[in-house]
Amino acid sequence: MKKKLVSNHYIHATISGALQAGFSKQKLLTQASIPLELVNKPRARITEIQLANLIRSVWLETGDEFMGLTETPCRLGVFELMAESVLQSKTLGGMLQQSARFYSRVQNDIEFIIEQQGDIVDFSITLRHPEYDPNHLFQEFLLLMWQRFSCWLVNKQVTFLGTRFNYQEPFHNNEYAPMFSGQLLFEQPTSGFTLHSKLLNLPIVRDQNELATFLKQSPLEILRRVGQDSSLHSQVRRLLLKQGLEQLPTLEKIAELLHMTARTLRRKLKDEGVSYQQIKDRLRCDTAIRLLTEESLSIADISQLIGFTEQAAFCRAFKNWTGVAPSVYLQSNI
């Protein structure tokens, strides 16, 4: 599976609680193979593997599964105990009930409420002290964890009707669509998600050995984005990937493939807050970062693979995209 990329925002958000408690920024980043130079480069991006390693590093250093983002720490191993307990459930509905009951017994920082109205089930996960999580990292992670763990247990992509957040739409909101399926709602009274009640009968199909592998890889399986963003700019991105990066097609060609005029495509992309050039730049940037961190290729080879005839031109573009030279990512090869 290709490594996905996430915003530099998640570096700061993940380590904020640990830094507040006096832990070393450099040690946490080094353990996650994240170059220190990326911290103050807001345009830089990191792989989901690096983010998973950073979360794991914070867990181990702080001894707190809540990453210092709640009033009271949560001892390591609590999630494992919860996972083992819900594995005995027969259905997804039983798992949701048992997981909420379990955490309600072992901590006081998160409030869980499950309600059903007609055919719709609402699962609410709200922090009682959100001031400890100013970047909303822990709130995001909780919602994502319950959704992804649910999908994993039933070995099926569960359709969540919507996910809501009890805070304003954040500046990194473009990260949300690939993470959360369904409608996204902000500034709501509570945080949570909804699903159709018929899905509660989906059977739990995982066994103890599979759970052991899942826990060993955690939190990577939680962070991996399996949903498909249906936005127009994501459709354009997928078409560009099919066409190949060596010589990207014109906007007119992409518009033709989407059965619309170039003017309409340009207008609709503008409505989504992005331009065709920005999509191309992000695609080339993300592909370059993946190649730099997972392949034994030279910078010259990578520059050619993503459509640059000269290495120097690629290096200038890459620094403009991320704020750092491509060599910085080579040093963090994971």
Side-chain angles (χ1 to χ4, degrees), residues 82-291:
M82 183 277 290
E84 290 174 349
S85 74
V86 302
L87 201 62
Q88 310 307 314
S89 303
K90 302 294 185 183
T91 64
L92 176 60
M95 169 268 174
L96 292 174
Q97 290 285 353
Q98 172 61 14
S99 62
R101 185 164 53 246
F102 179 95
Y103 269 102
S104 295
R105 296 292 188 273
V106 301
Q107 57 78 49
N108 295 312
D109 289 281
I110 312 165
E111 181 181 21
F112 297 87
I113 299 175
I114 303 177
E115 297 178 323
Q116 182 170 345
Q117 292 186 353
D119 293 331
I120 305 301
V121 176
D122 186 278
F123 192 89
S124 176
I125 309 175
T126 306
L127 298 183
R128 288 195 170 97
H129 300 285
E131 65 272 14
Y132 287 90
D133 183 35
N135 297 300
H136 312 301
L137 183 281
F138 189 52
Q139 183 74 87
E140 290 177 20
F141 187 76
L142 287 172
L143 293 168
L144 194 63
M145 188 273 285
W146 254 269
Q147 291 186 5
R148 297 289 171 79
F149 191 46
S150 295
C151 295
W152 182 85
L153 283 169
V154 300
N155 196 26
K156 182 177 181 178
Q157 185 58 39
V158 176
T159 301
F160 296 100
L161 301 175
T163 305
R164 67 183 183 280
F165 311 89
N166 62 348
Y167 50 84
Q168 292 182 341
E169 189 169 2
F171 74 90
H172 63 289
N173 60 345
N174 59 342
E175 300 288 336
Y176 277 53
M179 288 195 297
F180 301 102
S181 60
Q183 185 181 18
L184 303 180
L185 299 171
F186 296 91
E187 298 185 72
Q188 301 300 302
T190 63
S191 294
F193 55 84
T194 55
L195 67 161
H196 198 283
S197 60
K198 66 182 180 181
L199 298 176
L200 299 182
N201 295 320
L202 289 172
I204 302 297
V205 299
R206 300 293 187 172
D207 60 28
Q208 190 64 47
N209 291 331
E210 289 174 303
L211 178 61
T213 301
F214 179 94
L215 293 171
K216 185 178 180 180
Q217 296 176 340
S218 182
L220 183 58
E221 290 300 326
I222 300 297
L223 297 174
R224 278 180 169 157
R225 289 178 276 187
V226 295
Q228 181 148 301
D229 184 357
S230 60
S231 63
L232 179 59
H233 69 265
S234 292
Q235 295 178 50
V236 171
R237 181 185 173 97
R238 289 192 288 270
L239 283 175
L240 290 176
L241 281 170
K242 289 181 181 179
Q243 298 292 313
L245 302 187
E246 291 86 352
Q247 189 171 357
L248 290 174
T250 63
L251 179 140
E252 287 72 19
K253 176 62 177 176
I254 293 298
E256 180 183 338
L257 293 172
L258 290 170
H259 307 292
M260 63 179 71
T261 65
R263 181 179 179 181
T264 299
L265 175 58
R266 190 176 290 108
R267 175 178 55 79
K268 289 188 174 183
L269 288 176
K270 185 178 181 180
D271 289 342
E272 293 187 358
V274 69
S275 69
Y276 183 58
Q277 185 63 49
Q278 288 172 328
I279 296 172
K280 291 194 297 181
D281 288 346
R282 171 60 65 83
L283 179 58
R284 280 181 161 141
C285 176
D286 286 359
T287 302
I289 292 174
R290 290 193 194 101
L291 293 173

Side-chain angles (χ1 to χ4, degrees), residues 303 308 310-317:
S303 66
F308 285 83
E310 296 182 0
Q311 178 178 331
F314 164 66
C315 289
R316 286 194 299 271

